[in-house]
């Protein structure tokens, strides 16, 4: 049986019930104290039974969870209804709460040479429910551990997959989360390799929520970008530049920051020449921030730029008038850092 999205199946099951029942049912899914339709006591028993019979309460199931030595990062391998697996990460953030890093696809088709997920290829897109349920999984995880901070304040689409290659489901998931949690759109960041047609689409899509966007640039020199991000369009850089202008024309930059992510690969994209090209590109694009990501080891041959090198690269960018930050590496001891998300085949289920 093909899976049916909850946004369709719940209204179908409740078709003959008064309309307020729909809201009660949807709110029930986000209640931290409930673990099944049976527990949504505000609904009459026949409706609870009907929902139990045809709408799965949860679309992801825990397969394995690991916690970093520092306790600031938790990585879950979650199993989906068809037996495929994804990874999802809970990370302490500097606000003192949690950021979750969600997957948008099983695997990824983009083949970025430095990324572990890129090596898996794409198995399938996630459904919006499977994205939303990563949030629900972590929300109940922290709820069950009162010693942990209780709030998930941010979501980043930086797990497995390319979110803009799964545009509709990612959009629906975001809209559901925004409708049912305290989270605001600027607390959510969708990170993309730069799927240009979809970037264009979101500019004019009234249903695309005003979440933040991060573009994985990785090089402002076309030849280098093509080498490390093989799906890069030949004219990606000028097209992205044009797009950033449209983005800033359309949106208030204070609430919808645009970021370029840049993984620091020793000797590949971290030279003075690259810093100059990046500073010049950012200047042409406008108020884009740059976030440098120290390379996390995967089984590729890249080297992590040294800390001193990252520092001087930052200095060169700052001298060129660029606002630049460096991402803190978290969870690398449990392979939960950026680009390390790949479901290990040898992993055994936890009991
Ligand atoms: N497909 C999305 C999300 C990818 S993961 C995108 O391309 O943006 C989030 C970030 O981690 C991306 O910028 C990605 O390029 C980066 N990344 C991938 N592998 C990495 C690695 N091994 N070390 C550091 N960052 C990596």
């Amino acid at each position: 049986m093909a899976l049916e999205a909850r946004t369709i199946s719940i209204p179908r099951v409740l078709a003959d019930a008064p309309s307020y029942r729909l809201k009660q049912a949807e709110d029930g899914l986000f209640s931290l104290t409930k673990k099944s339709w049976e527990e949504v006591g505000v609904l009459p028993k026949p409706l609870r039974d009907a929902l139990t019979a045809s709408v799965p309460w949860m679309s992801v199931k825990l397969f394995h969870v690991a916690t970093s030595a520092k306790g600031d990062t938790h990585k879950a391998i979650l199993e989906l209804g068809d037996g495929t697996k994804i990874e999802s990460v809970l990370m302490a953030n500097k606000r003192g709460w949690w950021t979750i890093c969600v997957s948008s696809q099983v695997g990824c088709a983009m083949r970025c040479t430095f990324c572990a997920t890129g090596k898996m290829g794409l198995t399938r897109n996630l459904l919006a429910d499977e994205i939303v349920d990563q949030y629900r999984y972590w929300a109940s995880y922290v709820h069950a551990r009162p010693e942990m901070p209780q709030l998930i304040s941010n979501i980043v689409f930086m797990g497995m997959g390319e979110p803009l290659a799964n545009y509709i489901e990612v959009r629906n998931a975001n809209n559901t989360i925004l409708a049912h949690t305290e989270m605001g759109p600027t607390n959510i960041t969708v990170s993309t390799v730069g799927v240009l047609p979809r970037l264009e689409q979101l500019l004019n899509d009234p249903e695309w929520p005003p979440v933040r966007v991060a573009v994985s640039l990785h090089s402002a020199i076309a030849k280098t970008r093509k080498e490390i991000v093989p799906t890069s369009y030949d004219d990606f850089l000028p097209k992205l530049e044009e797009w950033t202008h449209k983005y800033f024309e359309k949106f208030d930059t204070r609430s919808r920051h645009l970021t370029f992510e840049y993984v620091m690969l020793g000797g590949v994209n971290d030279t003075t020449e690259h810093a100059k090209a990046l500073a010049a590109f950012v200047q042409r694009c406008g108020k884009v921030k740059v976030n440098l990501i120290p390379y996390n080891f995967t089984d590729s041959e890249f080297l992590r730029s040294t800390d001193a090198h990252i520092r001087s690269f930052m200095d060169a960018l700052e001298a060129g008038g660029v606002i630049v930050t460096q991402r803190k590496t978290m969870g690398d001891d449990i392979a939960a850092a950026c680009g390390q998300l790949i479901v290990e085949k040898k992993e055994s289920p936890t009991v």
Side-chain angles (χ1 to χ4, degrees), residues 245-289:
H245 296 154
K246 286 189 245 174
Y247 181 90
F248 289 131
E249 250 166 52
K250 200 118 198 163
F251 303 114
D252 178 337
T253 55
R254 277 168 308 173
S255 62
R256 291 185 71 165
H257 292 297
L258 191 60
T259 304
F260 288 156
E261 294 161 276
Y262 199 99
V263 59
M264 294 294 287
L265 304 170
V268 174
N269 65 353
D270 67 346
T271 63
T272 313
E273 187 202 358
H274 280 91
K276 279 195 186 135
L278 178 57
F281 184 70
V282 172
Q283 289 300 349
R284 293 200 299 278
C285 289
K287 291 193 186 128
V288 188
K289 289 187 305 186

Side-chain angles (χ1 to χ4, degrees), residues 75-345:
K75 177 177 92 164
I77 298 179
L78 300 173
E79 190 175 325
L80 310 177
D82 61 357
T84 55
K85 297 186 183 77
I86 51 163
E87 297 192 356
S88 209
V89 184
L90 177 78
M91 301 170 288
N93 63 30
K94 54 177 187 288
R95 303 166 72 189
W97 295 318
W98 298 104
T99 295
I100 58 169
C101 175
V102 297
S103 293
S104 55
Q105 298 181 309
V106 183
C108 186
M110 296 300 156
R111 294 184 280 116
C112 298
T113 50
F114 46 84
C115 178
T117 312
K119 305 231 165 15
M120 292 175 71
L122 177 67
T123 303
R124 70 168 173 88
N125 281 334
L126 293 192
L127 299 168
D129 293 348
E130 293 166 331
I131 299 171
V132 170
D133 286 352
Q134 294 174 61
Y135 169 87
R136 290 175 62 231
Y137 171 78
W138 287 121
S140 55
Y141 183 91
V142 296
H143 184 72
R145 291 165 180 77
E147 71 284 4
M148 292 171 75
Q150 289 297 296
L151 183 68
I152 296 172
S153 62
N154 293 73
I155 299 182
V156 294
F157 280 76
M158 297 187 188
M160 298 166 85
E162 167 46 46
L164 292 191
N166 186 16
Y167 182 92
I168 301 283
E169 302 296 323
V170 165
R171 186 183 70 185
N172 291 348
N174 274 320
N175 286 330
T176 300
I177 290 169
L178 290 169
H180 291 279
T181 69
E182 297 293 300
M183 208 163 314
T186 53
N187 301 131
I188 299 179
T189 301
V190 172
S191 172
T192 175
V193 73
V195 183
L196 290 168
R198 297 288 87 75
L199 284 170
E200 288 293 331
Q201 186 175 348
L202 70 82
L203 290 179
N204 297 304
D205 179 355
E207 286 179 56
W208 181 265
V211 294
R212 293 188 179 182
V213 176
V215 179
S216 295
L217 181 64
H218 304 321
S219 180
I221 297 178
K223 182 171 172 289
T224 309
R225 189 174 201 273
K226 182 85 190 166
E227 276 162 15
I228 57 182
V229 181
T231 53
S232 201
Y233 306 82
D234 288 339
D235 55 354
F236 178 75
L237 294 170
K239 285 272 162 56
L240 178 64
E241 186 182 325
E242 245 174 68
W243 179 83
T244 58
H245 296 154
K246 286 189 245 174
Y247 181 90
F248 289 131
E249 250 166 52
K250 200 118 198 163
F251 303 114
D252 178 337
T253 55
R254 277 168 308 173
S255 62
R256 291 185 71 165
H257 292 297
L258 191 60
T259 304
F260 288 156
E261 294 161 276
Y262 199 99
V263 59
M264 294 294 287
L265 304 170
V268 174
N269 65 353
D270 67 346
T271 63
T272 313
E273 187 202 358
H274 280 91
K276 279 195 186 135
L278 178 57
F281 184 70
V282 172
Q283 289 300 349
R284 293 200 299 278
C285 289
K287 291 193 186 128
V288 188
K289 289 187 305 186
V290 172
N291 188 216
L292 301 179
I293 318 177
Y295 168 64
N296 298 311
F297 290 98
T298 63
D299 64 356
S300 61
E301 284 140 33
F302 294 106
L303 299 172
R304 176 185 282 201
S305 310
T306 62
D307 288 346
H309 210 97
I310 295 179
R311 189 63 250 168
S312 62
F313 196 85
M314 278 178 104
D315 290 345
L317 292 179
E318 277 166 357
V322 177
I323 298 171
V324 54
T325 50
Q326 180 182 338
R327 182 169 308 162
K328 197 171 145 214
T329 300
M330 295 174 75
D332 46 353
D333 57 337
I334 52 167
C338 280
Q340 293 185 314
L341 297 186
I342 182 164
V343 174
E344 289 141 41
K345 293 181 187 61

